[in-house]
Amino acid sequence: MLKKFISDNKKNNNNEIGADIASKRLIGADTRFDVKEAYNELRTNIMFSIPNAGSKVVAVTSSVTSEGKSTTCLNTAISFADIYGKAIIIDCDLRRPNINRLLGVKEKKGLSNILVNDCCLTDAIIKTKYKNLDAITAGNIPPNPTELLSSETMTDIVSQLKKDYKYIFLDTPPINIVIDASLLVKLVDGVVIVVRQQIAEKRMLQETVKKLNFANAKILGFVLNDVSVESKRYMKGKYGRYGYSHYTLDE
């Protein structure tokens, strides 16, 4: 059975909010206890789902747009970097990038530029304000994202980063919108799927799982986003009052 991780992380439509508001969605000193606990639990589940030694690569995707995958991916990376050492997040959504705005950094040469040999890997790495966390933004939006992400250069980039980082997080495009995420699964140890309440439909999730299974991806679990803590449907177990819980795919 796949387990899902639920957080009460509301209104994360990062394509419709400003940089200041977006940055408030990130984990910090003022983050509510229940949200921090949800990400702590997510971190623990990911860690135990990938027990192999060495650098680990995790992709975060969703079925469609506006489900909060970028915020979830970045917060997860922040959480891992704070506890387990050097981590890096790469914005692989070359069509609708979000990581630079969430981090509040000016757009600079990023992944797309590395992939077309417009800059070297080290020049594209950004030191974030978060402990032990670096980032590579999407860079200039290219006309051929799928071709670039499926290239050997992309494989080489991940291989080089594994030498310096304990955890690598890939923020990938929605899997039911473009094929990019499916092409990247060959580079990762596991995939987390973000599901937003009242946006994702059962058929969308079934199609997402079908595509990932076809690509031989290891699905680590689901994050159910924008959950109402008052909804008794989702409150199970002794931790329900904190706004998160576990339940299985067929419920």
Side-chain angles (χ1 to χ4, degrees), residues 2-52:
L2 297 176
K3 285 193 173 181
K4 302 183 180 182
F5 319 106
I6 303 177
S7 66
D8 179 28
N9 187 10
K10 294 196 170 191
K11 309 304 179 188
N12 269 340
N13 190 346
N14 296 322
N15 291 310
E16 297 179 2
I17 56 182
D20 290 341
I21 298 176
S23 65
K24 293 179 182 179
R25 303 300 178 194
L26 302 183
I27 296 175
D30 298 329
T31 303
R32 284 188 356 232
F33 171 79
D34 57 323
V35 175
K36 285 184 177 179
E37 283 300 296
Y39 277 108
N40 290 342
E41 187 176 9
L42 173 58
R43 182 187 66 217
T44 300
N45 278 281
I46 291 175
M47 183 184 69
F48 282 104
S49 296
I50 312 175
N52 54 293

Side-chain angles (χ1 to χ4, degrees), residues 12-224:
N12 269 340
N13 190 346
N14 296 322
N15 291 310
E16 297 179 2
I17 56 182
D20 290 341
I21 298 176
S23 65
K24 293 179 182 179
R25 303 300 178 194
L26 302 183
I27 296 175
D30 298 329
T31 303
R32 284 188 356 232
F33 171 79
D34 57 323
V35 175
K36 285 184 177 179
E37 283 300 296
Y39 277 108
N40 290 342
E41 187 176 9
L42 173 58
R43 182 187 66 217
T44 300
N45 278 281
I46 291 175
M47 183 184 69
F48 282 104
S49 296
I50 312 175
N52 54 293
S55 179
K56 300 173 181 65
V57 185
V58 178
V60 178
T61 190
S62 60
S63 295
V64 292
T65 59
S66 301
E67 296 199 70
K69 67 172 179 61
S70 295
T71 303
T72 300
C73 186
L74 184 49
N75 275 333
T76 305
I78 292 170
S79 180
F80 268 88
D82 183 56
I83 300 298
Y84 297 117
K86 278 190 89 173
I88 189 167
I89 182 170
I90 308 174
D91 194 340
C92 298
D93 194 340
L94 301 184
R95 293 175 172 84
R96 298 181 67 185
N98 259 323
I99 298 302
N100 64 301
R101 188 154 56 90
L102 283 170
L103 288 173
V105 298
K106 292 182 178 180
E107 187 56 85
K108 58 173 285 184
K109 291 184 177 181
L111 180 61
S112 64
N113 302 95
I114 305 171
L115 291 171
V116 298
N117 297 313
D118 185 37
C119 73
C120 65
L121 177 59
T122 53
D123 289 339
I125 295 176
I126 296 172
K127 302 292 183 182
T128 76
K129 65 180 181 180
Y130 297 97
K131 177 184 174 183
N132 295 324
L133 181 65
D134 292 343
I136 297 176
T137 62
N140 300 112
I141 297 178
N144 56 340
T146 301
E147 180 182 341
L148 294 179
L149 292 172
S150 61
S151 67
E152 285 299 318
T153 305
M154 184 66 198
T155 303
D156 292 340
I157 290 171
V158 174
S159 295
Q160 290 182 55
L161 292 174
K162 282 184 175 181
K163 299 175 183 177
D164 297 317
Y165 295 93
K166 190 168 183 179
Y167 284 93
I168 300 169
F169 294 89
L170 307 184
D171 178 23
T172 71
I175 200 163
N176 287 342
I177 304 299
V178 291
I179 196 175
D180 300 0
S182 296
L183 296 173
L184 289 169
V185 299
K186 65 180 181 179
L187 305 178
V188 308
D189 297 294
V191 180
V192 174
I193 304 170
V194 177
V195 182
R196 190 166 191 166
Q197 188 179 18
Q198 298 182 345
I199 288 185
E201 299 176 0
K202 184 176 181 179
R203 62 177 180 81
M204 295 178 184
L205 295 179
Q206 290 174 330
E207 186 64 20
T208 296
V209 172
K210 179 180 178 181
K211 288 179 178 178
L212 288 172
N213 284 336
F214 183 78
N216 293 318
K218 178 179 181 180
I219 301 175
L220 301 179
F222 298 74
V223 173
L224 184 55

